[in-house]
């Protein structure tokens, strides 16, 4: 009777499971399946987000700032609304609002399987509706050429991965860690799990983090970062100009030009050149974003030096959506 019932992807283990009446948990892993995740499933397909980057590169703060922006976008996307789908997700969002807005940075993410957080994003301008499924992870797991997949569960199946790279001299690059090495670990892990790069190309959004701290950034890139119009707009108490389809298309066009320029800028040293060449040789499509999740530097006490003002943190997510088109 259930043979032809439509299937959904479990947000925890990514198994394909058939929809039955009163489906509340996954038959494969036992994880909670939220009712709003299943309801109208085809209208808001899941969008799995995997972050990949050395310890302390800014993965957790990026995911937090991205969440904060996605909450606030209801101020400027005309039809948009969001909802947390599990108690854990709601707690997480409350925490983000409390701590990030006060400028308090999170501690290092512990090893182990982190809880998943699930947000329904309805009627985004340009891309429609998606269910964002994200799971943080500890940067130490990427120190190996054999990344433990149970701690980075979306690496194999998510169509796009966010690869985060810190500025020169950043703690994340301590001990001789470089961007080409990170990509090498990504490629090796996927090869180990039977991924055939020639048959199925992969997509990476290379996210250059802590933009506020990057020295010698070309002036036009610095200006792009600092002139992010979205943070101010989403915080306007009065209604501001809405980002309609036309405005989004202009935004994406600009983002595309910046991505090309960032790609050229990354190639300024040997590590960047190697990165681009090994990506090309493995059929990996690259897009580049430059972000500052905080907007300013952080003191040694883990507190922001000035008011939180994330810059361009939606760009990587916009790229991931754009590449799914
Ligand atoms: N200046 C500046 N500092 C940042 C920014 N984002 C993160 N940081 C700093 O980098 C530190 C590490 O950020 P996290 O997001 O915790 O790093 P992570 O990649 O999650 O690290 P692990 O959990 O250890 O893997 C933060 O405590 C901040 O001090 C940024 O946009 N600008
Ligand atoms: Mg972390
Ligand atoms: Zn499952």
């Amino acid at each position: 009777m259930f043979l032809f019932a439509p299937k959904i992807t479990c947000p925890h283990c990514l198994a394909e499971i058939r929809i039955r009446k009163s489906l509340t948990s996954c038959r494969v892993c036992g994880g909670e399946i939220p009712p709003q995740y299943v309801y109208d499933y085809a209208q808001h397909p899941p969008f799995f987000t995997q972050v990949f980057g050395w310890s302390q590169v800014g993965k957790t703060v990026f995911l937090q700032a991205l969440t904060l922006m996605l909450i606030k976008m209801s101020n400027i996307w005309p039809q948009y609304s969001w909802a947390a789908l599990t108690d854990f997700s709601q707690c997480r969002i409350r925490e983000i609002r409390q701590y990030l807005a006060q400028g308090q940075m999170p501690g290092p993410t512990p090893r182990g399987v982190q809880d998943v957080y699930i947000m329904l994003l309805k009627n985004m301008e340009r891309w429609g509706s998606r269910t964002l499924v994200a799971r943080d992870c500890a940067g130490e797991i990427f120190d190996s050429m054999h990344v433990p997949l149970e701690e980075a569960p979306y690496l194999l199946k998510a169509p796009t991965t966010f690869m985060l790279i810190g500025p020169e001299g950043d703690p994340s690059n301590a001990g001789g860690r470089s961007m080409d090495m990170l990509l090498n670990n990504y490629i090796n892990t996927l090869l180990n799990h039977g991924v055939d790069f020639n048959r199925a190309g992969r997509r990476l959004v290379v996210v250059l983090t802590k933009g506020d701290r990057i020295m010698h950034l070309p002036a036009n890139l610095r200006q792009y970062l600092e002139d992010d119009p979205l943070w101010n707009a989403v915080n306007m108490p009065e209604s501001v100009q809405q980002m309609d389809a036309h405005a989004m298309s202009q935004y994406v066009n600009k983002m595309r030009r910046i991505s090309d320029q960032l790609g050229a800028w990354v190639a300024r040293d040997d590590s960047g050149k190697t990165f681009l060449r090994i990506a090309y040789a493995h059929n990996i499509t690259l897009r580049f974003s430059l972000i500052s999740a905080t907007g300013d530097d952080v003191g040694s006490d883990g507190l922001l030096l000035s008011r939180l003002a994330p810059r361009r943190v939606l760009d990587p997510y916009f790229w991931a959506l754009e590449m799914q088109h």
Side-chain angles (χ1 to χ4, degrees):
M1 175 181 170
F2 295 118
L3 210 55
F4 302 107
K7 284 180 175 174
I8 63 160
T9 304
C10 168
H12 306 277
C13 69
L14 296 140
E16 299 280 309
I17 47 179
R18 286 198 192 279
I19 300 179
R20 295 172 184 227
K21 253 194 180 159
S22 68
L23 173 71
T24 54
S25 61
C26 168
R27 273 188 306 282
V28 179
C29 72
E32 175 193 356
I33 308 282
Q36 290 187 76
Y37 183 81
V38 183
Y39 185 75
D40 264 353
Y41 181 79
Q43 304 303 315
H44 45 77
F47 186 94
F48 294 96
T49 332
Q50 180 67 54
V51 285
F52 198 103
W54 306 124
S55 194
Q56 295 301 292
V57 71
K59 296 180 297 299
T60 303
V61 183
F62 162 62
L63 286 174
Q64 292 187 340
L66 174 65
T67 307
L68 198 62
M69 279 306 287
L70 287 171
I71 291 171
K72 289 172 174 272
M73 284 304 276
S74 37
N75 267 336
I76 56 172
W77 271 337
Q79 314 294 329
Y80 169 78
S81 65
W82 68 276
L85 295 198
T86 58
D87 280 331
F88 172 78
S89 318
Q90 197 152 52
C91 279
R92 210 34 230 278
I93 288 166
R94 283 212 311 260
E95 253 171 49
I96 292 172
R97 274 188 168 148
Q98 256 180 315
Y99 295 111
L100 195 61
Q102 289 165 2
Q104 175 67 60
M105 294 293 114
T109 308
R111 287 287 306 261
V113 181
Q114 301 297 310
D115 265 327
V116 53
Y117 77 96
I118 313 177
M119 266 174 97
L120 178 60
L121 311 174
K122 259 193 160 154
N123 301 322
M124 291 181 284
E125 202 52 66
R126 187 177 179 91
W127 298 288
S129 305
R130 295 283 188 290
T131 306
L132 178 77
V133 186
R135 203 176 232 174
D136 205 353
C137 54
E140 289 136 81
I141 65 172
F142 304 113
D143 273 341
S144 159
M145 288 178 67
H146 305 272
V147 175
L149 281 192
E150 62 284 5
E151 293 188 49
Y154 307 143
L155 196 57
L156 280 190
K157 292 210 181 155
T160 309
T161 297
F162 297 114
M163 186 164 283
L164 280 71
I165 313 283
E168 240 171 277
D170 191 59
S172 59
N173 298 319
R177 290 179 180 81
S178 60
M179 65 185 298
D180 49 332
M181 228 178 240
L182 185 68
L183 181 58
N184 193 37
N185 290 356
Y186 169 83
I187 291 171
N188 196 71
T189 301
L190 295 191
L191 284 174
N192 243 332
H193 288 86
V195 169
D196 178 350
F197 286 95
N198 288 322
R199 253 195 38 219
R202 290 268 153 169
R203 290 173 285 198
L204 283 183
V205 181
V206 179
V207 185
L208 305 176
T209 64
K210 312 185 191 182
D212 55 279
R213 248 196 225 167
I214 302 178
M215 312 279 266
H216 313 302
L217 195 61
N220 61 321
L221 295 176
R222 164 90 49 217
Q223 195 187 2
Y224 177 76
L225 181 71
E226 287 175 0
D227 284 354
D228 180 0
L230 297 180
W231 178 252
N232 287 336
V234 297
N235 284 299
M236 291 278 194
E238 310 287 310
S239 64
V240 286
Q241 203 187 348
Q242 303 289 292
M243 289 288 276
D244 58 10
H246 178 66
M248 285 310 297
S249 149
Q250 282 184 325
Y251 191 95
V252 170
N253 285 341
K254 180 112 190 243
M255 210 171 74
R256 186 166 287 122
R257 288 198 297 278
I258 292 295
S259 171
D260 292 345
Q261 290 170 20
L262 286 168
W265 183 68
V266 158
R268 74 196 177 285
D269 63 15
D270 60 296
S271 166
K273 288 189 187 74
T274 310
F275 183 97
L276 298 179
R277 288 172 197 164
I278 59 178
Y280 182 75
H282 289 86
N283 202 14
I284 297 171
T285 306
L286 299 175
R287 294 289 182 272
F288 297 84
S289 297
L290 170 67
I291 66 162
S292 170
T294 54
D296 197 2
D297 221 345
V298 179
S300 52
D301 53 0
L303 277 173
L304 257 181
L305 296 184
S306 49
R307 273 177 78 102
L308 176 79
R311 296 281 172 238
R312 303 288 182 185
V313 284
L314 282 167
D315 286 20
Y317 180 61
F318 288 169
W319 265 132
L321 287 165
E322 199 59 19
M323 287 163 101
Q324 279 198 344
H325 255 18

